[in-house]
């Protein structure tokens, strides 16, 4: 049985700065966007976290997982034109 609960995505992002993080979602806003969760895996290597996510998803097929990079989203010096 998996533990329930979780922490905010902001707290997770601070704790695992500059790493890929896989979270089991536990709380959502009205639009269905994740607000909180429980960390399943984290690493600087995306492939490592993805593989753990695949295995976790097979073991618990009804969970909602969220993979994100907890670091600078747009590298310094890059300009985005819209």
């Amino acid at each position: 049985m998996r533990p329930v609960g979780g922490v905010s995505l902001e707290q997770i992002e601070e704790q695992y700065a500059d790493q890929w993080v896989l979270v089991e979602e536990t709380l959502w806003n009205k639009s269905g966007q994740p607000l909180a969760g429980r960390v399943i895996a984290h690493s600087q290597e995306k492939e490592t976290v993805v593989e753990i996510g695949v295995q976790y998803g097979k073991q618990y097929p009804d969970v909602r997982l969220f993979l994100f990079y907890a670091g600078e989203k747009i590298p310094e010096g890059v300009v985005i034109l819209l």
Side-chain angles (χ1 to χ4, degrees):
M1 179 181 230
R2 295 180 327 275
V4 295
V7 296
S8 74
L9 294 183
E10 291 83 13
Q11 290 173 305
I12 292 170
E13 195 166 9
E14 288 175 15
Q15 185 173 354
Y16 299 101
D18 300 323
Q19 296 184 54
W20 287 94
V21 183
L22 179 68
V23 172
E24 179 179 343
E25 300 173 11
T26 59
L27 181 67
W28 304 266
N29 65 16
K30 291 179 182 179
S31 300
Q33 299 295 322
L35 298 174
R38 190 172 66 80
V39 174
I40 302 304
H42 61 91
S43 174
Q44 291 183 341
E45 300 296 325
K46 181 179 180 181
E47 295 79 18
T48 301
V49 178
V50 169
E51 181 58 33
I52 292 169
V54 168
Q55 296 306 316
Y56 193 83
K58 287 178 183 177
Q59 187 174 2
Y60 303 105
D62 55 340
V63 300
R64 290 175 60 178
L65 298 175
F66 179 47
L67 174 68
F68 68 98
Y69 184 71
E72 190 174 342
K73 305 303 185 237
I74 300 172
E76 187 174 328
V78 173
V79 177
I80 305 297
L81 299 174
L82 300 177

